[in-house]
Amino acid sequence: MRVDPATPGALPSRARVVDIARAAGVSTATVDRVLNKRAGVRDATIQRVMRAAGELDYLPGQLLYSALAPKPLRLSVLLPAGTNRFIRMLGDMVSYSEEHWAPFNVRCRAEFIESFNPHELAAALQRHGKRSDGIAMMALEHPAVREAVTELAAQGVPVITLISDLSNSPRAAYIGLDNRAAGRTAGYLIGRFIGVRSAKVALIAGSLSYRAHEEREAGFLHVIEEMFSHLSVVGLREGHDDAEQNYRQTRALLDQHPELCGIYNIGGASDGVARALKEAGRDQKVAFIGHGLTPDTRALLVDGSLDAVITQSPYATLMSCVRIFTNLRDGREAMSGVENTRSQVIFRENLP
């Protein structure tokens, strides 16, 4: 409140716009625009006016606090559309976990874009870069995507890669499994499940345009060659994380190799593989390893058609993203306080 010195003992009178303008060093028109939340005033000026209004007791404390609080970080999460239920679950969690991000003063939104299309991903990065303070994405290994990330970094918009990384790029961080180790784990499990007999095994990937899938394949092949040389890998099929395509690819593998003893589904949509195995009466005979614990893979573990799932926590993945972006906002190292992504191997007997 303001006291008029010309009238000793008078009750305090409320500060006027002119008093706020004088204290903030701006015009009364600027004060009017700020107090009425009109556009056209710089953030630094808004802060100065609001602080002056608070010091003169023109505004209630709570209103002043709200006005001085920094704007929430606007974060975008770009994920491939399709039938990969783990990815869909990750995207859905962005929306319904909004209250978990509130203490970090961030707002997250997810967008599903055309799968396996690097040009669409690059366009989405450029589009969201104009209205976001940070972007997390499942990267495709392609020059167009790499160039979009480079442009965003130059503009001060950090990009985090999720699940699949992007080589030779200025991305701020990667959150996901050690995918080579995941592939080695799958190879080790299949080798131990099959035992010492000579046998054929196969791989189904979403797409090798994902660095994650390429690294999982490399890890799998390396451990088979290193430890299970009696096993023969009969080829790699791409199913684009689509249940129907995975079904057709598995049927083709079984027709071509009736004695097939193991399948590693590097990507998602394991339900398509399981359906083909069940139709052929091979679901309890072929060792089958997949990725991503979801309601459908849980059911496949329970009925025995899927032997093991290599997975990571979708909630922990998103929380790590939020922490990284807030670290960058607050001037800390990107990975400060962020734990490495933990890989879990889930069997029917240890289902959480």
Side-chain angles (χ1 to χ4, degrees):
M1 294 293 187
R2 185 178 66 87
V3 177
D4 189 342
T7 52
L11 292 174
S13 61
R14 189 183 186 197
R16 299 167 300 170
V17 167
V18 67
D19 300 316
I20 299 171
R22 185 181 303 112
V26 299
S27 68
T28 55
T30 297
V31 174
D32 180 72
R33 283 199 296 272
V34 171
L35 296 180
N36 290 286
K37 298 181 179 180
R38 298 192 183 99
V41 185
R42 293 183 303 170
D43 287 344
T45 303
I46 292 173
Q47 297 280 316
R48 195 161 70 248
V49 169
M50 297 304 292
R51 190 170 288 109
E55 290 171 353
L56 293 170
D57 289 337
Y58 187 88
L59 293 174
Q62 185 58 41
L63 181 59
L64 177 66
Y65 173 80
S66 299
L68 291 176
K71 293 180 180 179
L73 277 177
R74 300 163 300 169
L75 306 180
S76 295
V77 182
L78 307 182
L79 298 169
T83 62
N84 186 322
R85 296 188 185 180
F86 184 84
I87 299 299
R88 174 62 63 175
M89 188 167 62
L90 190 67
D92 291 343
M93 190 171 288
V94 172
S95 302
Y96 66 68
S97 296
E98 189 67 33
E99 69 277 8
H100 294 289
W101 323 137
F104 296 91
N105 197 28
V106 303
R107 291 179 181 170
C108 300
R109 58 176 295 184
E111 180 179 338
F112 291 93
I113 60 177
E114 184 182 344
S115 302
F116 311 106
N117 186 332
H119 299 290
E120 176 58 32
L121 177 56
L125 285 167
Q126 293 166 344
R127 187 168 64 250
H128 282 267
K130 296 176 182 177
R131 57 174 182 257
S132 300
D133 301 307
I135 300 173
M137 65 155 179
M138 186 169 170
L140 286 165
E141 195 69 55
H142 193 276
V145 177
R146 192 173 295 107
E147 184 64 20
V149 172
T150 300
E151 290 176 2
L152 289 174
Q155 296 164 16
V157 181
V159 175
I160 293 175
T161 53
L162 298 176
I163 301 175
S164 190
D165 203 2
L166 182 64
S167 62
N168 301 317
S169 70
R171 52 88 171 137
Y174 163 65
I175 297 297
L177 301 177
D178 178 337
N179 286 297
R180 185 174 289 270
R184 287 183 61 87
T185 299
Y188 178 79
L189 289 173
I190 280 186
R192 296 292 290 177
F193 287 157
I194 292 175
V196 297
R197 72 186 190 276
S198 297
K200 294 181 178 181
V201 298
L203 302 92
I204 297 177
S207 171
L208 294 185
S209 58
Y210 283 130
R211 181 176 170 184
H213 291 194
E214 183 180 7
E215 290 175 345
R216 290 173 190 176
E217 179 201 13
F220 182 91
L221 295 177
H222 189 263
V223 84
I224 293 296
E225 180 181 357
E226 176 187 330
M227 300 181 63
F228 306 104
S229 57
H230 57 282
L231 297 182
S232 173
V233 180
V234 295
L236 172 69
R237 304 289 182 105
E238 288 188 330
H240 292 153
D241 284 353
D242 179 80
E244 190 59 33
Q245 289 193 51
N246 278 358
Y247 165 78
R248 293 196 299 268
Q249 295 285 23
T250 305
R251 285 306 302 256
L253 282 167
L254 293 173
D255 291 342
Q256 187 177 357
H257 306 284
E259 70 281 22
L260 192 70
C261 290
I263 294 178
Y264 173 34
N265 182 25
I266 293 174
S270 286
D271 51 328
V273 178
R275 178 158 62 96
L277 289 173
K278 290 175 181 178
E279 286 186 4
R282 305 293 305 282
D283 54 302
Q284 304 299 317
K285 299 175 182 178
V286 174
F288 178 23
I289 310 295
H291 274 269
L293 184 62
T294 61
D296 63 312
T297 54
R298 174 185 289 271
L300 298 176
L301 286 169
V302 170
D303 72 22
S305 53
L306 183 61
D307 293 290
V309 168
I310 301 169
T311 195
Q312 64 191 82
S313 165
Y315 175 76
T317 297
L318 292 174
M319 183 56 72
S320 292
C321 283
V322 170
R323 288 186 183 276
I324 290 169
F325 283 125
T326 55
N327 282 341
L328 294 172
R329 176 192 63 194
D330 298 338
R332 294 187 294 267
E333 290 292 327
M335 299 303 292
S336 177
V338 179
E339 294 185 359
N340 290 332
T341 302
R342 296 181 180 180
S343 173
Q344 295 177 288
V345 181
I346 307 297
F347 304 94
R348 179 171 63 179
E349 305 306 325
N350 71 338
L351 272 169

